[in-house]
Amino acid sequence: MNRSLQQLSEATEKQATKSEAMVAVATEQSAQLDRVKADIEDFERMKFVDPLTGLANRRSFNKAAARIYANPELPTMCGLAFAEIDDFKRFGDPDDKAGLDNAIRHVGQLFQSVLEDGDVVARLDGYRFAFLISSSDEAEIMRAVDRLRIAAGSKPVIHPKSGVSVGKATLSIGVAMSTVADGAGQLMAYGEKAMETSSKEGGNRVTFYSNTEHEGTETGWMIYQP
């Protein structure tokens, strides 16, 4: 009887040990699966992130702009703005990739510091950025754009090698409301043309495309210099 009880106890212990090992294996497999899932999610997310600034990239911005006109009869009320850094060559020579990338990253970080709920800020390419601001009020859109413009020039750019200030960034900005366009392509074309107008006018200003006449300006255009 004692021998039988001992054998039963040993068998029970072996089974418990085996069960613990199986649980450990299952736990490790589950952890590995979670890590693989997280890696896949990170990969998918990074497809829409600009690696230099951490902002949304052009692909992400294009998707957001397209969603404005998901219902063509009732587009989302918002303002689109394109911006480029003025006189960008002053931040480094053409071969000075570290200096130029540093200036872009610097401005992108300043944008991030003043982001508000509902804002979409993206780096398109080079030293160009884009914004989507949720509002139907032109004045509110301008205040939001001004907030981003002021942020970009709030701190000087410090060259990463020399440690010397190379000045503060100013922006040429073009704005268009979603209500003046029939689709995302047209809206972006208005924003880009308005941005080019700001640049040609000397930079550090905002050009607003609107279907409203503004006193003292050509129909549809308002140039605003902060």
Side-chain angles (χ1 to χ4, degrees), residues 14 41 84 131:
K14 288 181 180 179
E41 290 175 350
E84 67 178 15
F131 317 102

Side-chain angles (χ1 to χ4, degrees), residues 155-222:
K155 295 181 181 179
V157 178
I158 306 299
H159 195 279
K161 293 183 179 179
S162 67
V164 175
S165 170
V166 287
K168 297 180 179 180
T170 63
L171 304 173
S172 291
I173 302 177
V175 183
M177 297 294 291
S178 58
T179 51
V180 303
D182 296 327
Q186 188 178 57
L187 179 64
M188 288 190 282
Y190 286 154
E192 185 165 7
K193 187 173 181 180
M195 179 186 68
E196 292 172 354
T197 298
S198 288
S199 181
K200 290 176 182 178
E201 290 292 327
N204 192 27
R205 65 192 68 206
V206 181
T207 299
F208 197 108
Y209 179 85
S210 172
N211 56 3
T212 302
E213 291 191 24
H214 296 281
E215 185 178 355
T217 67
E218 295 181 9
T219 301
W221 294 96
M222 177 175 65

Side-chain angles (χ1 to χ4, degrees), residues 41-209:
E41 290 175 350
D42 286 343
F43 176 76
E44 290 299 316
R45 183 168 56 252
M46 291 308 295
K47 289 182 353 184
F48 299 98
V49 175
D50 173 56
L52 181 60
T53 63
L55 300 173
N57 60 15
R58 179 183 283 276
R59 176 186 294 176
S60 179
F61 185 80
N62 287 347
K63 288 187 66 174
R67 285 196 296 269
I68 296 171
Y69 299 94
N71 179 355
E73 301 300 321
L74 191 64
T76 302
M77 301 295 285
C78 67
L80 174 147
F82 281 168
E84 67 178 15
I85 301 173
D86 295 324
D87 195 20
F88 186 64
K89 60 187 177 185
R90 66 192 170 96
F91 295 109
D93 296 327
D95 296 330
D96 182 13
K97 187 176 186 302
L100 297 176
D101 282 354
N102 176 66
I104 295 168
R105 188 184 304 110
H106 172 86
V107 172
Q109 289 172 344
L110 292 173
F111 286 151
Q112 286 180 319
S113 70
V114 296
L115 281 181
E116 294 188 350
D117 290 343
D119 288 349
V120 175
V121 181
R123 179 198 172 206
L124 300 180
D125 49 53
Y127 47 95
R128 289 189 170 190
F129 299 85
F131 317 102
L132 285 177
I133 302 160
S134 297
S135 177
S136 59
D137 184 358
E138 292 185 5
E140 186 175 344
I141 296 293
M142 293 298 287
R143 285 192 295 270
V145 168
D146 219 27
R147 168 169 46 82
L148 292 161
R149 182 192 62 80
I150 291 170
S154 62
K155 295 181 181 179
V157 178
I158 306 299
H159 195 279
K161 293 183 179 179
S162 67
V164 175
S165 170
V166 287
K168 297 180 179 180
T170 63
L171 304 173
S172 291
I173 302 177
V175 183
M177 297 294 291
S178 58
T179 51
V180 303
D182 296 327
Q186 188 178 57
L187 179 64
M188 288 190 282
Y190 286 154
E192 185 165 7
K193 187 173 181 180
M195 179 186 68
E196 292 172 354
T197 298
S198 288
S199 181
K200 290 176 182 178
E201 290 292 327
N204 192 27
R205 65 192 68 206
V206 181
T207 299
F208 197 108
Y209 179 85

